[in-house]
Amino acid sequence: MLVTDDLLLYYKRCRRRAFLDIYGDFSQQDKEQDFILKLRQDSFAHRQAVLAIAPHTSPKYPHRDWEAGAKATLELMQQGVERISQAVLLMQTADGITLLSRPDLLVKQPGESIFGDWMYVPTSIKLGRRPKPEYQIVAAFSAQLLATVQRAIPRTAHLILRRHDSFTVQLERWLPLMQEVLTECLETLLQEEAPEVFISRQRCSLCHWYSSCYAIAQSQKHISLLPGVTPSRYRDLQALGVTTVESLAETTISTLEPAIGSEIASDLVLQAQSTVQKRALLRERHYPILGDVGNSNGLTAKSFININSLPTASVELYFDIEAEPDLQLDYLLGVLVIDRRNQTEVFHPLLAEHPSDEATIWQQFLDLVWLYPNAPIFHFSDYEVETVKRLAKLYGTPFQEIRPLLPRFVDVHQRVMSAVTLPVESYSLKHLARWLGFEWRDAGVTGSQCVCLYDKWLKTGDRSLLDLIQRYNEDDCRATYHLKKWLVSFLQDTMGDTHNEE
């Protein structure tokens, strides 16, 4: 068995993935997503850019002949080469398992080792923006294998992250943690059965085993499909004997409270009840204030101050953004104008066909929203508001022009989360809108795929790619509109029934 630093990284994220990567039926893997291919290409380009900063030497050996690679690496270390790229470090465990690490860079430093008065320190080059625990675990893994080769363990390892930010890994802390993870990983890989399925949307969505695991979770009605059930909370629930959605729906808050707190317990039980009953349930702790303004003047700014307000106006704007994070570019500012006075629905795709056009579409956005100075601006999540602030700062928009704009923003996601519990697996826009019967015109397109489509547009000039992105963005705006209309109707009906009962 070969355990690599990549396998250890994936184990830290998901025990089941590491097991399937060795024993799984590869025919059940998902087709590699365009976004994953882009990440791999970006990661390679980032690594090459970092390595190009200073001269380095790579060991020469036949493809995937790791023993030859380790021998060639050792020879370079014995020669005292200053910087060794793509080194190969091998170690055999007592169980006959081979541990393999391929640090991006070994840097020569003063010290004592079997080579003389120098030693090497490992450096990992990662595309991430922050020093994630799994990155530091892998850096410590490289340091441990390096120590067996040079008979001296470095005190630190290094990470070079996106934008060439450098981070020091304190091995005194991370080596013991790495050894715990490695021991658990080896124990898992020596078992006969794969670890239990656990679906975590954020971590699972890009995994090539996702469809396979998700099908199993659905067939089992696994409790991890319930929003709010994190791995740590699942362990707490297991300890209490609560392992199904049905049992959670029947559990009292007081039973769960000592382990997970009263508020989380209340949310989880309500979520389970909504799922079992297959219907929306009102969160009784939060009664949003409904503002219904049908006159030509729309809403005043004061109407938006209450964070629980959900206004309805004669003109409403629905706002969604498509961005390219690597370019720090917001290239599409989509605005759907719902004009109840004229009974029109008009979508405005403010598109930067080239990165230099961002300033232009930003001004177009401001011109558009100020055509309707009293219209609320609905959006889903806080990204849109943060982007408005960023663009205003970037392009020197006077504060007096932005200050009256900000109170007009209404986060529909926040309103949903504070007002209702729904029988969905996720409170993402797609899950919520699809539960309500809304469908995107291009079913296979995602936000991450739009990043790839825009990159392809910049390279090829194929306008059909922009058309696809614009349709996706418009559907996001319309999905937000659909969700907001439903929420207003549900709250009016539910609260009306409540008042009638009283």
Side-chain angles (χ1 to χ4, degrees), residues 240-463:
L240 295 170
V242 180
T243 58
T244 66
V245 175
E246 289 77 7
S247 62
L248 178 57
E250 297 173 356
T251 303
T252 62
I253 306 300
S254 58
T255 300
L256 302 177
E257 184 176 358
I260 59 178
S262 60
E263 186 171 346
I264 293 174
S266 176
D267 288 344
L268 288 182
V269 170
L270 191 64
Q271 184 64 62
Q273 292 171 346
S274 173
T275 300
V276 170
Q277 297 173 28
K278 299 180 180 179
R279 66 187 182 97
L281 298 176
L282 185 68
R283 290 178 180 268
E284 296 183 0
R285 300 195 306 269
H286 307 285
Y287 282 96
I289 299 173
L290 298 176
D292 189 355
V293 181
N295 60 42
S296 59
N297 294 326
L299 293 174
T300 64
K302 187 177 180 181
S303 302
F304 297 92
I305 294 175
N306 189 303
I307 64 169
N308 285 325
S309 64
L310 189 62
T312 296
S314 54
V315 176
E316 297 176 355
L317 309 181
Y318 290 83
F319 179 35
D320 186 73
I321 295 174
E322 303 304 328
E324 217 296 11
D326 288 340
L327 300 177
Q328 298 184 47
L329 172 71
D330 294 285
Y331 64 85
L332 176 55
L333 310 179
V335 181
L336 174 65
V337 179
I338 304 295
D339 188 339
R340 292 188 173 88
R341 297 170 301 187
N342 299 313
Q343 296 184 330
T344 59
E345 299 179 2
V346 180
F347 177 64
H348 300 266
L350 310 178
L351 177 66
E353 294 190 1
H354 303 284
S356 59
D357 297 333
E358 186 183 58
T360 301
I361 67 168
W362 166 239
Q363 187 58 52
Q364 290 173 348
F365 171 78
L366 293 175
D367 293 342
L368 176 61
V369 297
W370 283 117
L371 285 176
Y372 310 97
N374 298 311
I377 305 171
F378 294 94
H379 57 100
F380 192 87
S381 82
D382 59 0
Y383 182 79
E384 279 68 25
V385 175
E386 294 306 313
T387 297
V388 164
K389 294 177 182 177
R390 185 188 75 82
L391 293 177
K393 182 177 180 180
L394 180 62
Y395 296 111
T397 306
F399 181 66
Q400 59 267 28
E401 189 174 350
I402 296 301
R403 181 170 58 183
L405 183 63
L406 295 178
R408 293 170 54 188
F409 284 95
V410 183
D411 187 346
V412 177
H413 179 257
Q414 182 188 65
R415 302 309 189 270
V416 169
M417 295 297 291
S418 66
V420 294
T421 299
L422 301 173
V424 292
E425 294 178 4
S426 164
Y427 283 83
S428 69
L429 179 59
K430 276 193 170 60
H431 278 84
L432 293 172
R434 282 177 173 154
W435 180 74
L436 296 173
F438 182 90
E439 285 296 335
W440 276 251
R441 283 170 286 180
D442 302 291
V445 179
T446 64
S448 59
Q449 188 178 1
C450 283
V451 175
C452 303
L453 294 174
Y454 187 74
D455 281 351
K456 288 181 181 178
W457 149 254
L458 293 178
K459 295 172 182 175
T460 67
D462 182 354
R463 295 204 67 86

Side-chain angles (χ1 to χ4, degrees), residues 189-248:
L189 297 178
L190 291 173
Q191 293 175 1
E192 295 183 359
E193 294 186 5
E196 179 183 11
V197 162
F198 190 96
I199 299 298
S200 172
R201 285 286 179 274
Q202 187 175 8
R203 292 192 171 187
C204 293
S205 60
L206 297 178
C207 177
H208 48 233
W209 297 106
Y210 175 71
S211 296
S212 173
C213 292
Y214 180 71
I216 294 172
Q218 273 201 316
S219 69
Q220 297 175 348
K221 297 181 179 179
H222 198 275
I223 198 171
S224 65
L225 295 174
L226 206 67
V229 178
T230 62
S232 62
R233 290 172 188 168
Y234 181 45
R235 289 191 291 271
D236 291 333
L237 293 174
Q238 283 181 308
L240 295 170
V242 180
T243 58
T244 66
V245 175
E246 289 77 7
S247 62
L248 178 57

Side-chain angles (χ1 to χ4, degrees), residues 106-174:
L106 296 180
V107 180
K108 182 182 177 183
Q109 290 187 354
E112 294 184 3
S113 69
I114 62 170
F115 308 126
D117 58 356
W118 71 88
M119 63 186 302
Y120 288 89
V121 173
T123 294
S124 297
I125 303 171
K126 299 296 183 183
L127 194 61
R129 300 178 187 274
R130 57 186 181 84
K132 301 175 184 178
E134 55 264 41
Y135 291 169
Q136 301 194 61
I137 290 289
V138 168
F141 180 68
S142 296
Q144 181 69 65
L145 269 60
L146 176 60
T148 65
V149 175
Q150 65 183 11
R151 299 293 188 269
I153 192 160
R155 287 189 293 181
T156 61
H158 299 283
L159 296 174
I160 298 179
L161 305 174
R162 191 177 298 222
R163 303 192 190 97
H164 295 200
D165 293 337
S166 182
F167 183 84
T168 299
V169 179
Q170 300 297 334
L171 294 176
E172 184 178 2
R173 176 191 176 193
W174 286 98

